Amino acid sequence: MSSTELPFVPPATVLPKVAPVRVGEGERIRSVGLPGITLTVRSRPPAREGLPPALYVHGLGGSSQNWSALMEQLEGDVDGEAVDLPGFGDSPPPDDGNYSITAHARAVIRFLDASGRGPVHLFGNSLGGAVSTRVAAVRPDLVRTLTLVSPALPEIRVQRTAVPTGLLAVPGVAGLFTRYSKDWTAEQRVRGVTALCYGDPGRVTPEGFRYAVEEMERRLQLPYFWDAMTRSARGLVNAYTLGGQHALWRQAERVLAPTLLVYGGRDQLVGFRMAQKAARAFRDSRLLTLPEAGHVAMMEYPETVAGAFREFAADGATSDGSVGGSDRRDGSVGASGEGASGDGRDIATASGDGADATTVGS
C-alpha cells in the first residue's frame, strides 16, 4: 500500500463522540444489526396502513437524508425507509472493510431479507443506482419496481467534471486531497459539493444549507469518513471494468422490474447522454429527463419526481397491487425544456420550493 494512501480504519468499539445525525420532523431513526454490518435506517410513518413498502439507497458521500424530501412527498403512496450504506450517514464501517458494489448490494439484500418487507419499490441515486441495479438483477423477488436517479452506470466518455470524483479511487489521491483541503471550512466544502451536484445551487434553502454544514462538520470528525469515500469510489470504478454476467449494463438488461429512469440535463457527474442508453438497456422502462436538474433530482425537484413515480407505479400496477406489464414506456424530455412523459404529460418544467442540501452525495 502506498505511504500516501489512507489505511483501512476497522470498526471501532469506541468511536469519537460526534453530534447526533439530524432527524427531520416526522422521521424516525433506528439501528439494524445484521451479519457483518450495522445499518442506520430512516423512515416516515406511512399516511395509512397497508401501503406498499419502499426502500431508498443514496449515492457516494450521501446518506439517507438525501431522500427526506421525496419520502415526505410519497408518504401517502408508499411505506418508505431509507438506508445509510455501511460507512455512510450514521452507519459504521462494515466489519470486513469491503465497500465494493457487490458488498453494498449484499447489505441491501440482507436488510430486505431480514425485514421481510420485499418486494419493495426500490429507489437508488448515483452509486445507490448501481447498487440497486445489481440488487434488482440478482434478486428480482425483492424488487417490485426500480426507480433510478442519475444511476452511476459505466460510461466510456466520462465528463471532465466527474474526473475528480473518480480520482478518489486512485491510491494516494484521498490522502493528498485531505492535506490540500485541510484548511477548508465545512461551509466551503458544502458550497463545492452543491455546485457539483445541483443544476442550480440557488435552489438550496438557507435552512437546508445550514443543515448540510452541520452534517459536514459531523462527518469530518469520523475517523473512517475518507476511507469509506475512497473505497466506495474504488469499488464503483472496479465495477465499471467487470465483464460478463457481472457487468452493470449486462445486469441492467436482466432487470425484470418496471424501471423509472430519471436524468438531469445539468448533471456534472452522470452524462445526460446516458439516458437513452439506459432506456434501451432496461427492458421495461420509462424515462424522465429534467433539463434544469443536476445529479440529485429527488432533492432538487422532489414534487416532480414523486409525481412521475405515482404515474409510473399506477400504470404498471395490477389489481392485486403487484406491478407487471412488459410495454416499454420511454418518455424523453429534450434539453431545451420541451418534451413529455410517456403518457403525454409535460414534465419538462420543475418548480417548487428550494431544496434541502443535507448530505448531498454523488
Side-chain angles (χ1 to χ4, degrees):
M1 179 172 63
S2 168
S3 61
T4 60
E5 183 179 359
L6 290 178
F8 165 58
V9 180
T13 55
V14 179
L15 292 173
K17 291 184 178 180
V18 297
V21 68
R22 178 176 175 269
V23 182
E25 184 178 354
E27 294 182 339
R28 299 173 180 173
I29 292 285
R30 75 180 191 279
S31 183
V32 178
L34 298 166
I37 54 174
T38 299
L39 300 177
T40 296
V41 180
R42 182 181 303 267
S43 62
R44 291 188 70 89
R48 61 184 184 278
E49 294 185 3
L51 292 177
L55 184 68
Y56 303 84
V57 186
H58 64 80
L60 179 66
S63 78
S64 58
Q65 293 182 63
N66 291 165
W67 297 103
S68 290
L70 186 61
M71 286 176 68
E72 184 175 6
Q73 288 288 323
L74 292 177
E75 64 182 354
D77 304 277
V78 297
D79 182 356
E81 295 184 330
V83 64
D84 285 335
L85 291 173
F88 294 94
D90 211 33
S91 293
D95 288 353
D96 61 3
N98 189 344
Y99 290 97
S100 66
I101 295 295
T102 297
H104 283 315
R106 187 183 304 122
V108 172
I109 290 170
R110 285 177 178 171
F111 172 70
L112 289 174
D113 277 338
S115 69
R117 283 165 51 87
V120 300
H121 293 293
L122 184 60
F123 294 73
N125 170 235
S126 194
L127 167 71
V131 170
S132 298
T133 297
R134 181 153 293 177
V135 171
V138 303
R139 288 293 305 272
D141 58 305
L142 295 177
V143 182
R144 182 179 303 225
T145 67
L146 182 64
T147 298
L148 303 177
V149 181
S150 296
L153 299 175
E155 299 183 45
I156 295 177
R157 293 183 294 113
V158 178
Q159 298 180 97
R160 287 183 298 173
T161 47
V163 170
T165 301
L167 286 176
L168 280 176
V170 178
V173 169
L176 292 173
F177 179 76
T178 301
R179 289 196 293 274
Y180 173 76
S181 64
K182 62 183 177 64
D183 295 326
W184 292 6
T185 65
E187 181 174 327
Q188 288 174 312
R189 295 174 189 271
V190 170
R191 290 194 187 281
V193 171
T194 54
L196 180 65
C197 291
Y198 278 71
D200 177 11
R203 291 185 61 82
V204 179
T205 65
E207 181 182 51
F209 185 79
R210 185 174 71 254
Y211 290 151
V213 171
E214 292 173 357
E215 174 61 16
M216 181 64 73
E217 292 172 340
R218 186 192 72 84
R219 62 173 51 188
L220 286 172
Q221 298 179 55
L222 298 172
Y224 54 81
F225 169 65
W226 282 111
D227 188 69
M229 285 283 291
T230 301
R231 292 177 187 270
S232 290
R234 189 172 303 155
L236 184 59
V237 171
N238 288 342
Y240 281 15
T241 65
L242 291 177
Q245 63 179 349
H246 299 295
L248 283 171
W249 283 114
R250 180 72 61 84
Q251 291 192 320
E253 294 171 352
R254 290 169 50 193
V255 171
L256 300 177
T259 303
L260 174 63
L261 302 163
V262 183
Y263 282 80
R266 294 184 177 181
D267 194 332
Q268 299 182 68
L269 292 167
V270 170
F272 186 66
R273 64 183 179 277
M274 302 306 293
Q276 292 296 336
K277 179 175 182 177
R280 292 190 297 268
F282 290 89
R283 65 179 69 188
D284 182 7
S285 67
R286 169 172 290 187
L287 174 60
L288 167 66
T289 58
L290 299 173
E292 302 303 315
H295 191 60
V296 286
M298 74 288 187
M299 299 175 72
E300 298 174 86
Y301 300 104
E303 296 164 349
T304 303
V305 175
F309 171 77
R310 289 190 194 99
E311 294 182 5
F312 159 72
D315 287 349
T318 62
S319 59
D320 63 359
S322 62
V323 173
S326 59
D327 293 336
R328 178 179 297 277
R329 300 180 182 88
D330 295 338
S332 178
V333 179
S336 64
E338 297 178 354
S341 66
D343 60 3
R345 187 173 69 87
D346 189 353
I347 50 178
T349 304
S351 60
D353 296 333
D356 184 339
T358 308
T359 62
V360 174
S362 60

